[in-house]
């Protein structure tokens, strides 16, 4: 029934010449509203998804060799009902206790996973000295029907991601608990924003790229009934926006901007056909008006790929496409994160820190 979401995401990605969003989306996306509505009633092939996830794990393992150490772990979410799979990537030559900052890396898509197009960027992160943990939060594909059906859009999935901080602190002594950041894209950008607004002092800094920001706007523009079915197939919200305004509001980052207490970078683009600029500019304008000392924002004009402009890669080499806008975006992201998390400093050593409290 919910395979329509996967088909939609494949359609959005089809504009990329170098990379089409991978393994667990249909090879051919439905092209018409009738096709999409019909696809909603077809059950995903969960066994096939599990097999495809195993192949994805192998791809990540192979891509890690010579660049970083990779582990696949599970941990109990703070909600207490599920074990959450997660990728953990460590620098090849780890420092001692508290020697590294860490990033919680939040994948995109309502029905997604840690896509292979992140390979060059995770390699770069660990090369700089970051430890990266990438939770496969509830609703992600590749982990069976029960995990898939546990989707809680903007709800418990955020707790799944936030619990990763406890995992870093308890299992990885090389991580400096005072230097943990979070980064996410699209739906993962929404989770990132909700995580820092609900837990204002948990992270040191955050990056949200092309994030979902306003569920009222999103449902109005994408089709209320169809989008509601995509994000809330189990009816955890308890109704449509006019029935449960409070639920939709508390899961829309736009309405929580005043809770921001840490440095935040947001990047959006005018030619985004997924999270339309009319939705994202509401967040950008609110941050510029109400949190100018903490928030940095960039609005791109029409970069190749639109919504996916910063993640397009060559699948043969796993190298970035390297458009001008993609290079600029990652330069800004790394400059922002490096300033706030200082990956080049070993906090466990006796060397003088270059860590900055603010800019």
């Amino acid at each position: 029934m919910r395979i329509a979401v996967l088909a939609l995401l494949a359609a959005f990605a089809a504009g990329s010449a170098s990379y089409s969003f991978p393994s667990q989306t249909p090879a051919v996306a439905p092209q018409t509203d009738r096709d999409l509505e019909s696809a909603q009633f077809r059950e995903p092939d969960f066994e096939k998804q599990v097999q495809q996830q195993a192949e994805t794990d192998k791809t990540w393992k192979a891509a890690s060799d010579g660049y970083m150490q990779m582990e696949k772990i599970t941990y109990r979410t703070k909600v207490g009902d599920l074990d959450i799979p997660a990728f953990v990537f460590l620098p090849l030559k780890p420092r001692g206790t508290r020697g590294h900052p860490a990033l919680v890396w939040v994948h995109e898509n309502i029905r997604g996973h840690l896509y292979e197009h992140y390979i060059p960027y995770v390699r770069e992160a660990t090369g700089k000295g970051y430890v990266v943990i990438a939770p496969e939060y509830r609703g992600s594909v590749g982990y069976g029907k029960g995990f898939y059906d546990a989707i809680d859009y903007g709800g418990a999935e955020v707790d799944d991601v936030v619990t990763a901080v406890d995992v870093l602190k308890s299992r990885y002594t090389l991580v400096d608990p005072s230097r943990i950041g979070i980064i996410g894209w699209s739906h993962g950008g929404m989770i990132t924003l909700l995580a820092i607004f609900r837990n204002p002092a948990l992270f040191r800094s955050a990056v949200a790229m092309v994030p979902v920001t306003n569920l009222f706007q999103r449902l109005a523009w994408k089709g209320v009934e169809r989008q509601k079915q995509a994000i809330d197939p189990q009816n955890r919200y308890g109704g449509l926006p006019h029935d449960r305004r409070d639920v939709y509001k508390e899961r829309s980052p736009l309405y929580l901007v005043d809770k921001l207490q840490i440095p935040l970078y947001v990047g959006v683009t005018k030619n985004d056909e997924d999270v339309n600029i009319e939705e994202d500019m509401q967040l950008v304008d609110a941050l510029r008006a109400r949190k100018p000392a903490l928030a940095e924002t960039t609005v791109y004009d029409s970069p190749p790929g639109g919504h996916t402009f910063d993640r397009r890669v060559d699948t043969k080499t796993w190298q970035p496409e390297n458009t001008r806008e993609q290079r600029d975006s990652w330069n800004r992201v790394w400059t922002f994160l490096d300033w706030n998390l200082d990956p080049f400093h070993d906090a466990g050593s006796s060397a003088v820190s270059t860590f900055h409290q603010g800019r």
Side-chain angles (χ1 to χ4, degrees):
M1 182 170 64
R2 288 166 288 281
I3 198 169
V5 181
L6 297 176
L8 276 168
L9 297 169
F12 290 143
S16 169
S18 300
Y19 185 84
S20 60
F21 277 43
S23 59
Q24 303 194 54
T25 54
V28 179
Q31 296 299 312
T32 68
D33 286 347
R34 180 176 297 177
D35 290 335
L36 292 169
E37 290 167 3
S38 175
Q40 286 182 345
F41 299 98
R42 294 198 290 269
E43 181 92 328
D45 186 338
F46 294 109
E47 182 177 349
K48 183 177 180 180
Q49 287 183 353
V50 170
Q51 293 170 353
Q52 290 172 329
Q53 183 60 49
E55 292 303 312
T56 296
D57 290 358
K58 291 179 182 178
T59 298
W60 272 103
K61 185 65 176 176
S64 298
D65 289 346
Y67 292 91
M68 54 198 173
Q69 301 177 51
M70 181 198 125
E71 302 174 359
K72 189 77 180 284
I73 67 169
T74 60
Y75 60 83
R76 196 71 171 172
T77 177
K78 64 193 304 181
V79 180
D81 60 337
L82 286 175
D83 290 327
I84 306 301
F87 292 84
V88 179
F89 302 95
L90 310 171
L92 274 181
K93 297 181 179 179
R95 304 165 189 155
T97 302
R98 300 169 60 93
H100 297 270
L103 290 171
V104 179
W105 198 280
V106 193
H107 71 70
E108 73 246 49
N109 293 356
I110 303 170
R111 298 300 194 181
H113 66 153
L114 185 68
Y115 293 109
E116 294 93 324
H117 57 245
Y118 291 119
I119 286 171
Y121 312 114
V122 174
R123 283 174 173 174
E124 187 169 3
T126 56
K128 285 174 171 287
Y130 291 101
V131 171
V132 174
I133 185 169
E136 302 277 69
Y137 49 86
R138 68 186 63 216
S140 296
V141 293
Y143 300 97
K145 176 176 171 56
F147 201 83
Y148 184 94
D149 287 343
I151 182 174
D152 189 6
Y153 188 89
E157 64 178 8
V158 181
D159 297 308
D160 299 342
V161 170
V162 167
T163 307
V165 174
D166 295 331
V167 175
L168 289 170
K169 291 179 177 179
S170 63
R171 300 191 193 179
Y172 296 92
T173 59
L174 75 166
V175 171
D176 181 351
S178 70
R179 291 186 291 158
I180 299 176
I182 183 170
I183 182 171
W185 291 260
S186 190
H187 175 53
M190 171 186 148
I191 292 176
T192 294
L193 293 170
L194 293 175
I196 65 172
F197 293 154
R198 293 175 184 172
N199 306 273
L202 186 63
F203 297 95
R204 174 63 69 174
S205 62
V207 173
M209 297 299 298
V210 293
V212 173
T213 67
N214 183 352
L215 296 188
F216 297 103
Q217 168 100 19
R218 191 163 185 80
L219 267 68
W221 278 53
K222 304 298 182 183
V224 175
E225 295 287 350
R226 189 167 61 191
Q227 189 69 15
K228 167 63 165 60
Q229 177 62 24
I231 69 173
D232 188 29
Q234 311 299 333
N235 196 32
R236 302 186 199 281
Y237 284 36
L240 295 171
H242 70 275
D243 301 311
R244 299 300 306 273
R245 287 191 298 268
D246 56 335
V247 176
Y248 287 84
K249 186 175 181 180
E250 72 184 12
R251 300 185 187 210
S252 296
L254 174 65
Y255 300 101
L256 303 172
V257 164
D258 290 328
K259 297 181 180 294
L260 181 65
Q261 295 183 20
I262 62 170
L264 168 66
Y265 176 79
V266 173
V268 304
T269 179
K270 293 179 181 178
N271 64 335
D272 194 330
E273 294 298 326
D274 184 336
V275 185
N276 301 93
I277 192 64
E278 290 83 358
E279 178 182 347
D280 261 345
M281 281 306 297
Q282 296 173 56
L283 176 71
V284 169
D285 290 340
L287 290 170
R288 289 174 174 177
R290 307 211 298 271
K291 293 292 183 177
L294 288 174
E296 298 182 28
T297 59
T298 302
V299 181
Y300 290 93
D301 191 6
S302 295
H307 185 66
T308 65
F309 81 97
D310 63 330
R311 287 154 284 155
R312 290 153 61 95
V313 301
D314 184 325
T315 57
K316 294 180 180 179
T317 64
W318 299 121
Q319 293 303 306
E321 192 174 75
N322 273 327
T323 63
R324 179 177 63 178
E325 294 89 348
Q326 187 183 68
R327 291 195 306 270
D328 180 78
S329 176
W330 278 102
N331 284 340
R332 292 173 187 269
V333 166
W334 289 130
T335 298
F336 174 84
L337 290 172
D338 291 352
W339 181 275
N340 287 289
L341 299 176
D342 200 0
F344 310 104
H345 173 63
D346 182 352
S349 74
S350 57
V352 176
S353 174
T354 60
F355 184 69
H356 303 277
Q357 294 298 328
R359 298 186 72 168

